[in-house]
Amino acid sequence: MPDTDDRVVSPREQFYRVFSPAQADTLAEVLTGRREFPQEFTYLGDGAALWRASTEGIPHQRAAPTQEYHLLLRNSAAGLLAHGPADTPVEVIDLGPGTGRPARALLHALVAAGRFAGYRGIDISTGLLDLAARNLRAWFPGEAARLEFRHGDFTGPDLAGVLPARPGGGPGRFVLLTGGTVFNMAEPEQFLRRVGAALSPADLLVLTVRFDVGFNRPAFLDHVEAGAPLLPIHQAAVDLLNLDPRWYETERGFDPGRSEVWTGLRFRRPVTIRIDGASGPHAVAFEAGERMLVYRYRLLDRAGVIELLTRSGLTTILFDVGTSGEVALVAAVTGANS
């Protein structure tokens, strides 16, 4: 039976070293409105190192073939070049570059073909951005002057500073969204619409996704599994809020209405989190029995991925499946350009 004794807590001191006052405002708003710790904020602070440790050099469970994302752009580079603007320079815009490894093979193919116009990586996490910068500069020392790394949140409503519209021309662009970036979002269609609206006629949107092929569905999809341990990157985010583990139970499950795998906390007692932001103090209150999400992933089948892109005003022109059969590279253009 839930404990009805209310708890009021403030984040740990480290929270205010990790998040800016404006980010604290955003976090409080998302916690209040969506009852969720936004995925992009888990990569700040120690999150970048925790994410790297969980995706590099450690054996992966078959249900999350993260390393295969790194191979997709290598294996599909020739196809992307064939679908891109013919015989002209191409600029790569990498939204959420991670380690930089997914983009490596594509950049190599562009350089080898004499069609590399430049690279720009954008990420909210300075830790991940620094890692991508070190790696790509080491892999492409001769192109260092054409590698740019910009700190910023590309998930916001205004993409003009990240992906400026170029109706008058300029080099074609490959806009990369690798890993789980799009399908971790609460509203991927809205985001894809904004990206599609910013694409120029010569641009190509390139995504890597894990998609639902039936046999790769985790067993917990038919029920809510209680007590599953959080991934270190998600536990670190929860710990920043200064939540006592005795106040909640971890859960994971599947939302069939959204075709979405999720992980979260179910509060055993009422908890109020007081967060100070740029606009002043916030009080985020959870009742006993309420859930706070810390992770989501939209698990669509192939047709569902293509349908989502279509609803977002994009036309799929390439769908290359990886060797496991569970991940794919998808390339799309704006509907007006198809």
Side-chain angles (χ1 to χ4, degrees), residues 120 122 150 158-164:
R120 182 187 308 140
I122 300 101
R150 180 181 299 177
D158 183 11
L159 278 172
V162 173
L163 194 61

Side-chain angles (χ1 to χ4, degrees), residues 178-197:
T178 58
T181 300
V182 172
F183 293 96
N184 289 145
M185 294 180 176
E187 301 297 340
E189 184 175 334
Q190 292 181 12
F191 172 72
L192 288 169
R193 282 188 177 278
R194 292 197 297 270
V195 172

Side-chain angles (χ1 to χ4, degrees), residues 9 11 32 60 77 106 110 224 246 261 312 331:
V9 64
T32 299
H60 294 277
L106 180 58
L110 289 170
V224 174
R246 294 172 296 180
V261 177
S312 304

Side-chain angles (χ1 to χ4, degrees), residues 146-183:
R146 293 197 282 183
L147 303 176
E148 180 186 351
F149 301 89
R150 180 181 299 177
H151 179 237
D153 181 6
F154 59 83
T155 66
D158 183 11
L159 278 172
V162 173
L163 194 61
R166 296 192 299 188
R173 298 179 294 191
F174 288 160
V175 180
L176 305 187
L177 284 159
T178 58
T181 300
V182 172
F183 293 96

